[in-house]
Amino acid sequence: MESSKQSLSLQNRGESSSTHLASKGKQIVQGHGEVFTHFVSFPLAIYPELKKNLEAFRNSILGDNDKNALMFKEVGIDKSIFVSPNTLHLTVVMLKLENKESVDAALNILKSIASNVKHALDNRPVFIRLKGLKSMNDSLDKTRVLYAPVEEVGNEGRLLSACHVIIDAFANAGFAGKDAKSRLKLHATVMNASYRKGGKNTFDAREIHKEFGNKDWGNYLIKEAHISKRSWYDSDGYFHCCGTLPFPHK
């Protein structure tokens, strides 16, 4: 996160008949050539108003006329690089869970740190604010990922502390890279050029930033953390959930 800004319980969710595999974008590789299979996420797709906000953002850029669509295609923008509203999330840490045993072990880790996460949050709800747009590589004319920055409402640093508890636990177990904590950058991706199959791996986001650079996406309660499975989706369109750790709501 850029600024430092109820009882917890673990729910285990197995593979369901509604779970399906889909492919979008490239495999995520970090560290020493590791391919990550899962990740800890904070779901944001649970908020209909945020999903509608993202849909309106996409429609205002692409429009519904061929001329507008062609103009943006010339700078590397088409509908394929927009994030699906059903998958909106914040990533806490990438995980390498290669079999059922490692998934079960990860679920046990999540359960074991429940009280520490609760303590880090001071057993109080934590809200985030999404405002503006930034390029992940700080070059708007050659953007790979465009995202909404995250701020913790109140800037107490409680969410960051909770993230560190989670990351440390999985890194110590060997499921996350040792440098995972230094990689932490909570953000909500709205456009990603890697989703495009073939063609340019960047796009020109300068005009988008002029229009939406100060956009207020709203404030949202972080309700829970998921162990999410990459490239697998449940019936609601969100990443398949292997298990959850609820956060304080009151």
Side-chain angles (χ1 to χ4, degrees):
M1 188 166 62
E2 292 184 347
S3 67
S4 196
K5 303 197 175 217
Q6 173 148 15
S7 168
L8 294 175
S9 63
L10 180 70
Q11 297 175 344
N12 185 359
R13 301 183 187 178
E15 301 289 345
S16 68
S17 59
S18 62
T19 303
H20 64 279
L21 173 67
S23 177
K24 186 173 187 181
K26 303 174 182 177
Q27 287 287 319
I28 293 180
V29 181
Q30 292 179 356
H32 303 289
E34 296 173 298
V35 177
F36 292 95
T37 60
H38 296 69
F39 61 103
V40 176
S41 72
F42 295 148
L44 296 178
I46 58 175
Y47 292 106
E49 63 271 29
L50 181 56
K51 292 170 66 174
K52 290 180 180 178
N53 214 346
L54 184 60
E55 290 172 354
F57 166 76
R58 179 185 59 195
N59 291 338
S60 67
I61 292 170
L62 296 180
D64 54 6
N65 62 76
D66 293 339
K67 183 178 179 180
N68 201 40
L70 179 61
M71 178 183 69
F72 279 106
K73 192 170 184 178
E74 289 174 351
V75 294
I77 296 172
D78 58 65
K79 64 181 181 180
S80 69
I81 69 174
F82 287 84
V83 167
S84 166
N86 291 329
T87 64
L88 275 171
H89 68 280
L90 308 180
T91 296
V92 179
V93 61
M94 302 302 300
L95 303 175
K96 188 176 182 180
L97 308 175
E98 297 179 307
N99 49 45
K100 184 180 183 300
E101 289 71 24
S102 59
V103 172
D104 289 342
L107 292 174
N108 287 331
I109 290 172
L110 199 63
K111 184 176 182 179
S112 72
I113 62 175
S115 60
N116 290 340
V117 170
K118 177 180 176 180
H119 179 74
L121 294 170
D122 195 25
N123 197 25
R124 292 183 286 125
V126 61
F127 290 82
I128 61 161
R129 183 187 186 193
L130 301 176
K131 184 174 181 181
L133 287 174
K134 288 189 176 182
S135 171
M136 188 64 75
N137 52 311
D138 296 322
S139 181
L140 286 169
D141 62 327
K142 294 181 180 179
T143 293
R144 288 189 288 271
V145 174
L146 194 68
Y147 68 93
V150 174
E151 297 177 2
E152 179 183 330
V153 174
N155 293 322
E156 296 179 271
R158 293 184 296 121
L159 184 60
L160 187 62
S161 294
C163 289
H164 287 171
V165 170
I166 294 169
I167 293 170
D168 283 343
F170 287 108
N172 291 338
F175 294 137
K178 293 297 182 182
D179 60 348
K181 191 185 293 185
S182 65
R183 290 179 177 273
L184 177 63
K185 184 184 181 72
L186 289 178
H187 63 279
T189 298
V190 297
M191 298 173 71
N192 190 333
S194 72
Y195 293 166
R196 180 169 32 225
K197 294 182 179 179
K200 295 178 63 176
N201 62 359
T202 64
F203 60 97
D204 190 336
R206 287 177 292 184
E207 290 302 316
I208 294 175
H209 191 266
K210 284 180 183 178
E211 181 71 20
F212 300 99
N214 293 314
K215 181 176 176 59
D216 190 342
W217 301 85
N219 293 4
Y220 302 95
L221 172 68
I222 299 299
K223 291 187 175 182
E224 58 188 1
H226 284 199
I227 292 182
S228 299
K229 187 172 182 178
R230 294 194 62 243
S231 300
W232 286 80
Y233 302 91
D234 287 331
S235 58
D236 60 1
Y238 193 70
F239 300 97
H240 174 62
C241 179
C242 300
T244 68
L245 184 64
F247 277 24
H249 287 188
K250 297 181 180 179

